[in-house]
Amino acid sequence: MEKNQLKSLLTDMSLSEKAGQLLQIHGRWFLEGGYEPSTGPALEFEITEEQAYSAGSVLNETGAANLKKLQDKIMSRQPHRIPALFMADVIHGYKTAFPVPIALGCGFDPGLIERISAAAAKEASAAGLHVTFAPMADLVRDPRWGRCMESTGEDPWLNARYAESAVNGFQGADLKEKGKIAACVKHFAAYGAAEAGRDYNSAEVSERTLFEDYLASYRAAVKAGAALAMTAFNAIGRIPCTANERLMRGILRGDMGFDGVLISDYNAIEETITHGVSVDKREAALKAIKAGCDIDMMSDCYIHNLERLVTDGIIPESLVDEAVMRVLELKNKLGLFENPYKGASAEDEHEFILCEEHKRLSREAAAECITLLKNGGMLPLPIKGKKIAVIGPLADSKEILGTWAIFADRGRVVTLRQALEELYPEAEISFAVSGGLDEAAGAAADADAVIILLGEDESFTGESRSRADISLPEGQKELFDAVYRANKKIITVLLGGRPLAIPETAEKSEAVIMAWLPGTYGMYSLADIIFGKINPSGKLSMSFPYCSGQLPMSYNALNTGRPKPKGDGFNLYFSNYLDVPNEPLYPFGHGLSYTEFEYSDIRLSSGVLTAGKPLTASVTVRNAGKTAGKESVLLYIRDLKASVARPIRELRGVKKVFIPAGGEAEVSFEITEETLRFYDINMEYKSEPGEFTVWIGDKDMNFSLRDD
Ligand code: BGC
């Protein structure tokens, strides 16, 4: 449709039709038996059938045949036959689940994220979906928050790369293209800063930290062209985001230039009443529409109040028109006026969903993300000649995808047991997966090597799954101890969607692997890592603390006026704890390989950088071991003195390279004046001349930034 046709459509619509376009209801509403809320406080959703069929979008319903039928039904009830948007959470895969985003962060490979998102879009689009509620770009520094699983972790720069790559993968160059769906960056803003890691809790972040750290990834997604954004449940600075005009109109639309559709989170408009800033649904609707929120997801605030707010003269109709126009424009960009079913196709569902290519990608992704945290030399295991005991219920559990893999086919999940039996039939492996202490101890006593699976199944992470204590779940320490008493040759494999506090378990284990929630076929890659067919290359995108008391934490902290002097032990009147170290057990960027990578000194093209003359920092990375492998080469920067305190180091570049045994790779990064920008004392985003340190691997060097 041409822009003028969209305009005349809008002009021709009644006010109640317009309000309908701004309503999103759950697909189940249209099923026989009516609607039952799936998440959140019980809703009294009082809408008439007519209002339901006026909805501009439908949530979490899927399937090509089903959605084609639903589209016909909705369009036939609309005076202007406007097609509905079908939106759903396709976070890390549709039916084929890929590793959870926190794991994908450890892959340090934006290109991989783009390919995964494209694969997810292909499956979802065939199933009739038009929009995914992804990427979740929330920065998180507190693993008590269960939703850290949906984020790439604690680093703003890495999160920004994740967010933009996901948007590119989902959307491609043109939303009308086959297999592409619109991306919705969420949750705006700082949802991941929930105090004490308790979901939905308020965030207290300074303006500078908000702009510099928390907004970076949303900004990157917007720049990449995310068609939608979602508001956050939380309040920042005591203002619920969904009712925050400065945040939405000022920062998101104004500063960042977002011109897409802004949707509330589930029932978030109504929840401004419980936050205590709206007296009733009418005021909630008023605040949200004024703040710039276009679609009301799963509350009836807009549908019951927008019309009257206009006819009572409280808001101009143009405010509603503006929101409706954005919804119509999105439908137009997706080509729905020409083809309301978009990619929905039973044949394509059959061809793409869980296809061989996606299976391979799921394995590849897990291979890139699984992170070797400790290896005293036991890994990799020889395929023959050792009796291996695999212990723990998680070794044969299919609950290893993540709670946001809502459409994933759990029947297809390959467990570690299945993967080992299928790929390594010649290995001598016994399984003790009941969780019983005697069974576990017996199997361990009889083995030359023990692999114990600990950590969290998928039910521990995701929305609302916060934990105050992120040590091993109940009963697992006892299981580990029973095994340890019987055999000390232990390889601990951890599963889960968050870093865990496991200092004692790690100490007592010969080797530790973080396998995260690896996706439908990820366990094949874990099996290959165990036997050395794959050389692990994951590096942590989120620190593993010693204990929950250290939280929140992140590597890119400020120095403080009294940083702890180097060395072990407590230092009085310095910034440290009496009882635990300041450092994490395993820091951001930590991850081992079966080979050794040696870094040369850094070579700088010049010791001085100016705005017109960027510099290049290069290293030679040598694979000094006997095994080929991949290395994520990370570049960090520190601004040694500025008008505001700057982090002790910040990631500014990543290159993942494959290096054959004995081989070398030249790795170069460009450092520009832009790389060195930050929010200065006046909240202006700029660099300041002075001295900087650059690190690549374990090497560092200084350079200066000067005015041109
Ligand atoms: C979550 C969102 C999600 C939405 C729709 C909410 O509870 O916070 O991330 O997109 O539900 O399922």
Side-chain angles (χ1 to χ4, degrees):
M1 247 190 212
E2 298 297 325
K3 180 86 185 178
N4 58 348
Q5 289 175 291
L6 281 183
K7 276 193 188 148
S8 40
L9 169 62
L10 182 69
T11 316
D12 209 43
M13 286 165 73
S14 68
L15 204 42
S16 61
E17 264 183 285
K18 290 177 186 172
Q21 286 302 305
L22 306 184
L23 168 70
Q24 174 161 113
I25 55 174
H26 202 290
R28 262 178 280 164
W29 199 95
F30 298 97
L31 302 179
E32 244 168 86
Y35 172 73
E36 265 176 60
S38 63
T39 73
L43 301 168
E44 284 166 30
F45 215 78
E46 288 170 13
I47 50 170
T48 61
E49 190 177 318
E50 199 184 331
Q51 283 169 328
Y53 279 98
S54 78
S57 56
V58 174
L59 162 74
N60 282 352
E61 194 61 32
T62 184
N66 179 30
L67 289 186
K68 278 185 175 177
K69 231 190 282 160
L70 185 56
Q71 188 69 294
D72 287 344
K73 224 160 143 189
I74 291 176
M75 286 175 72
S76 71
R77 303 276 291 257
Q78 296 242 346
H80 289 89
R81 289 190 57 79
I82 299 177
L85 285 162
F86 296 127
M87 309 195 186
D89 295 280
V90 179
I91 312 291
H92 52 106
Y94 176 67
K95 293 268 183 207
T96 310
F98 300 102
V100 286
I102 187 67
L104 293 174
C106 301
F108 279 98
D109 186 349
L112 176 69
I113 285 159
E114 189 170 331
R115 286 194 288 138
I116 283 170
S117 307
K122 211 165 169 183
E123 291 194 8
S125 171
L129 291 170
H130 307 137
V131 174
T132 173
F133 297 124
M136 188 189 95
D138 303 321
L139 180 83
V140 48
R141 292 170 168 171
D142 193 332
R144 289 176 294 181
W145 192 52
R147 297 194 80 167
C148 71
M149 159 203 115
E150 292 168 65
S151 145
T152 40
E154 71 193 44
D155 184 69
W157 189 90
L158 183 67
N159 288 4
R161 302 292 77 75
Y162 165 68
E164 69 198 12
S165 311
V167 170
N168 290 336
F170 288 128
Q171 298 194 160
D174 181 354
L175 282 178
K176 286 196 181 76
E177 267 175 32
K178 189 175 153 130
K180 294 298 167 196
I181 57 177
C184 175
V185 59
K186 67 188 187 183
H187 307 81
F188 201 75
Y191 180 38
E195 268 202 313
R198 208 182 70 224
D199 205 7
Y200 317 119
N201 204 3
S202 301
E204 281 301 334
V205 281
S206 72
E207 194 179 24
R208 182 164 285 100
T209 304
L210 177 70
F211 271 72
E212 190 146 330
D213 297 352
Y214 285 90
L215 297 188
S217 46
Y218 310 116
R219 199 180 288 119
V222 168
K223 204 165 161 210
L228 299 94
M230 188 188 291
T231 70
F233 283 126
N234 56 290
I236 309 179
R238 306 193 181 188
I239 307 172
C241 293
T242 310
N244 191 332
E245 194 170 338
R246 184 175 164 243
L247 190 65
M248 303 304 172
R249 287 198 190 271
I251 299 174
L252 179 64
R253 293 210 187 277
D255 300 351
M256 295 190 188
F258 175 68
D259 63 357
V261 170
L262 180 60
I263 184 169
S264 78
D265 202 346
Y266 198 105
N267 195 42
I269 297 184
E270 184 175 339
E271 286 168 29
T272 64
I273 304 172
T274 19
H275 272 285
V277 302
S278 305
V279 70
D280 55 15
K281 292 186 184 182
R282 180 181 157 101
E283 194 180 6
L286 173 64
K287 289 210 159 159
I289 194 86
K290 280 175 76 181
C293 183
D294 301 321
I295 298 181
D296 179 354
M297 183 203 289
M298 282 307 298
S299 96
D300 54 358
C301 295
Y302 274 12
I303 196 73
H304 289 314
N305 295 291
L306 283 185
E307 211 174 327
R308 250 182 300 146
L309 284 168
V310 173
T311 51
D312 289 353
I314 309 291
I315 54 167
E317 188 163 352
S318 58
L319 201 60
V320 174
D321 284 356
E322 195 192 294
V324 176
M325 192 54 165
R326 281 194 283 262
V327 173
L328 297 178
E329 271 170 353
L330 174 60
K331 294 182 177 186
N332 199 33
K333 273 191 214 158
L334 285 155
L336 298 187
F337 290 107
E338 290 74 34
N339 174 12
Y341 312 125
K342 184 129 171 28
S345 147
E347 296 79 56
D348 287 352
E349 277 180 306
H350 186 71
E351 186 178 344
F352 299 133
I353 289 176
L354 290 154
C355 64
E356 274 307 307
E357 190 189 328
H358 295 176
K359 184 176 183 179
R360 273 196 303 276
L361 187 57
S362 167
R363 285 178 74 159
E364 180 191 338
E368 299 291 325
C369 305
I370 292 173
T371 307
L372 178 62
L373 299 177
K374 176 179 176 182
N375 190 11
M378 250 183 100
L379 282 169
L381 288 176
I383 300 172
K384 285 190 182 160
K386 268 196 196 297
K387 281 198 279 178
I388 300 164
V390 175
I391 293 173
L394 287 171
D396 210 18
S397 167
K398 288 186 186 282
E399 308 292 305
I400 54 168
L401 299 185
T403 45
W404 277 114
I406 55 179
F407 304 109
D409 188 337
R410 280 171 170 72
R412 296 286 194 109
V413 175
V414 174
T415 69
L416 180 62
R417 178 184 193 152
Q418 286 170 308
L420 288 168
E421 285 175 342
E422 187 184 325
L423 300 182
Y424 296 95
E426 67 275 45
E428 212 182 317
I429 308 177
S430 63
F431 294 90
V433 296
S434 71
L437 299 191
D438 291 343
E439 185 211 26
D446 206 26
D448 302 313
V450 176
I451 299 171
I452 182 166
L453 273 87
L454 301 174
E456 302 178 336
D457 70 29
E458 61 187 9
S459 67
F460 281 84
T461 50
E463 187 173 342
S464 172
R465 270 89 162 182
S466 299
R467 294 180 71 198
D469 174 2
I470 58 162
S471 53
L472 291 175
E474 209 183 322
Q476 292 193 5
K477 205 177 157 308
E478 291 72 17
L479 183 66
F480 182 89
D481 287 343
V483 169
Y484 186 74
R485 279 192 294 272
N487 190 337
K488 306 227 167 352
K489 293 261 164 222
I490 300 178
I491 297 162
T492 297
V493 173
L494 292 170
L495 292 185
R498 58 158 63 82
L500 293 166
I502 45 130
E504 280 173 35
T505 314
E507 174 73 35
K508 288 179 175 168
S509 303
E510 286 283 318
V512 182
I513 301 174
M514 183 67 196
W516 300 105
L517 296 168
T520 315
Y521 305 109
M523 284 301 184
Y524 284 127
S525 300
L526 177 61
D528 284 341
I529 284 175
I530 289 171
F531 287 115
K533 189 166 175 218
I534 291 174
N535 187 355
S537 62
K539 291 190 177 184
L540 293 179
S541 64
M542 201 166 174
S543 309
F544 272 52
Y546 277 91
C547 61
S548 302
Q550 289 178 302
L551 301 173
M553 71 165 12
S554 65
Y555 80 93
N556 42 12
L558 301 182
N559 204 32
T560 80
R562 295 192 180 193
K564 180 181 164 7
K566 283 207 164 61
D568 290 341
F570 172 73
N571 295 82
L572 193 62
Y573 302 125
F574 286 90
S575 181
N576 58 173
Y577 299 102
L578 281 164
D579 49 353
V580 285
N582 281 7
E583 295 73 28
L585 175 63
Y586 299 118
F588 178 91
H590 173 76
L592 305 173
S593 165
Y594 291 154
T595 190
E596 286 289 320
F597 293 107
E598 285 174 4
Y599 283 68
S600 71
D601 285 340
I602 300 173
R603 298 180 296 275
L604 292 180
S605 57
S606 160
V608 178
L609 165 70
T610 64
K613 210 164 155 264
L615 63 79
T616 306
S618 320
V619 286
T620 306
V621 184
R622 199 169 83 83
N623 182 344
K626 293 194 174 60
T627 314
K630 283 188 179 172
E631 168 76 341
S632 291
V633 181
L634 309 181
L635 174 128
Y636 297 90
I637 297 276
R638 178 172 182 184
D639 188 341
L640 295 172
K641 194 235 116 185
S643 57
V644 297
R646 307 286 301 125
I648 46 179
R649 50 195 216 152
E650 294 177 286
L651 187 69
R652 283 290 177 270
V654 176
K655 292 208 172 137
K656 196 163 187 175
V657 286
F658 170 80
I659 314 180
E664 284 183 355
E666 296 296 308
V667 182
S668 297
F669 297 90
E670 192 180 56
I671 305 175
T672 68
E673 177 273 331
E674 231 176 285
T675 318
L676 309 176
R677 290 186 193 170
F678 63 100
Y679 286 89
D680 76 353
I681 191 85
N682 301 312
M683 282 302 289
E684 282 176 38
Y685 192 64
K686 56 200 275 219
S687 61
E688 290 177 5
E691 287 293 298
F692 294 80
T693 303
V694 54
W695 287 263
I696 306 180
D698 56 349
K699 298 294 165 36
D700 65 86
M701 222 172 156
N702 281 12
F703 66 91
S704 18
L705 170 69
R706 297 219 189 113
D707 285 329
D708 268 321

